[in-house]
Amino acid sequence: TDFRGKVVVLYFGYTFCPDVCVTSLSLIAQGLSGLDAASLQKVQGIFISVDPERDTPQRLAEYVPFFHPKLIGATGTVEQIASVARLYGSSYRKHPAAADGTYAVDHSSVTYIVAPDGRLTDMLQHGSPPASITAAINKALSLGK
Ligand code: NI
């Protein structure tokens, strides 16, 4: 609700992800770069961590905008993350930690497009090309007019 009036591009993942999130954030960044400057001003990308124990606000702030300046990270308590993930039908599962304390988190990989009025307008599956992301954002922007 903080971003009503903007199109929100939402993704659930975690910064220690070895590959899936890197791919997705790169595709989202390219999708954002496909927008004209005026449209880009009306968009906010949000990466919600499904690993709140390791993804501190500081770590997210260092990692996420690296992909694109319009992307921010968000985290919360374990319960808050579970609650927002449930709202979007996003799922994730933490693996048991290895001997060195590291662990992986399996997660669904969907890019959610939310129109300026808060309506969910698109769910882009993993690997969706940048042009489809740009098109979905432009569609959501046009609904907000
Ligand atoms: Ni990931």
Side-chain angles (χ1 to χ4, degrees):
T1 54
D2 287 352
F3 296 107
R4 285 292 141 74
K6 290 195 171 188
V7 169
V8 170
V9 181
L10 188 63
Y11 187 84
F12 293 85
Y14 68 116
T15 68
F16 288 90
C17 187
D19 44 32
V20 171
C21 287
V22 176
T23 302
S24 299
L25 285 168
S26 302
L27 292 170
I28 290 169
Q30 292 172 60
L32 291 171
S33 296
L35 295 165
D36 65 50
S39 299
L40 186 59
Q41 289 312 305
K42 298 176 205 151
V43 177
Q44 181 64 60
I46 307 176
F47 179 85
I48 297 183
S49 174
V50 294
D51 186 14
E53 288 148 307
R54 288 185 298 186
D55 282 341
T56 61
Q58 187 190 342
R59 184 173 167 85
L60 285 163
E62 285 164 5
Y63 181 84
V64 180
F66 167 79
F67 290 90
H68 195 286
K70 276 297 198 176
L71 283 166
I72 58 169
T75 186
T77 64
V78 170
E79 293 74 23
Q80 285 171 326
I81 301 297
S83 167
V84 70
R86 214 163 28 239
L87 283 174
Y88 286 90
S90 178
S91 61
Y92 54 95
R93 188 174 61 91
K94 180 180 166 180
H95 285 266
D100 64 0
T102 62
Y103 57 87
V105 184
D106 288 343
H107 62 91
S108 51
S109 181
V110 175
T111 300
Y112 302 90
I113 308 293
V114 182
D117 64 0
R119 264 183 301 167
L120 179 66
T121 52
D122 268 300
M123 294 172 56
L124 301 165
Q125 297 310 305
H126 181 68
S128 293
S132 350
I133 299 172
T134 307
I137 294 169
N138 279 325
K139 185 179 89 178
L141 278 169
S142 71
L143 294 173
K145 280 172 187 158

